[in-house]
Structure formats: structure tokens, C-alpha cells
Amino acid sequence: MMVGEFCSAIAFGSLAFLLMTGDPPLWLLCVAAAFSGIGIAIMSPALTGIIPEVLKPHQLQSGNALLALGANTARIAGLVFAGGIVALVGGAWALVGASLLFATSG
């Protein structure tokens, strides 16, 4: 999971740098977005794979349901919160904050 979070931190930091330096070429934005997708693709299986190791077999259904509930709640709340941050400080600085959060969460 730490590798995935590191990839995401680099991707969001790169996106922030590209936006701060002016008008970035589309291909560079696509490369940074692909790197972010790779980071998420690395994290997701690790996150769902840890549930069977932590819970007993009869608790798996409830554990997976709680994981999905938390993920969906975070998606909705994250979009609202991110919109407010972008409105307050701008897109590039919001990406800097996301990059720092990914870097420190690992």
C-alpha cells in the first residue's frame, strides 16, 4: 500500500507543479493521471486483501460492507470538501495538499 500511496503522492505533486508552471501540455497531464491510476491500482487489492486476514470468516460480509460504506462515504464527502478547497486556494494548491496527504499517510 505504501508504494501505491507514494505513486499517488508523486502523481499529484507532478500535477500541481505542472499547473503552477503555466499551461502544461496535454500529454504530460495524461502521464501524471496514468501514474495516479497506477498508484490506486496498487492500493486497492492490498486494501481489500487485508480484510480476510483481520476478520474471522463469519465477519467477512460485515467487514466488506463496512469497507464499502466507508469508501463511498469518503468519495462523496471528499468531492464536496475538495470543491471547497479548490474554491478557496485554487486547483494547484489543492493538489499540493493532496500530494502531501498521500506522502504522509504511508
Side-chain angles (χ1 to χ4, degrees), residues 14-44:
S14 300
L15 284 168
F17 176 75
L18 289 171
L19 291 177
M20 285 182 180
T21 57
D23 190 23
L26 180 61
W27 70 271
L28 271 177
L29 293 174
C30 291
V31 168
F35 207 69
S36 173
I38 290 169
I40 292 170
I42 291 171
M43 280 189 294
S44 294

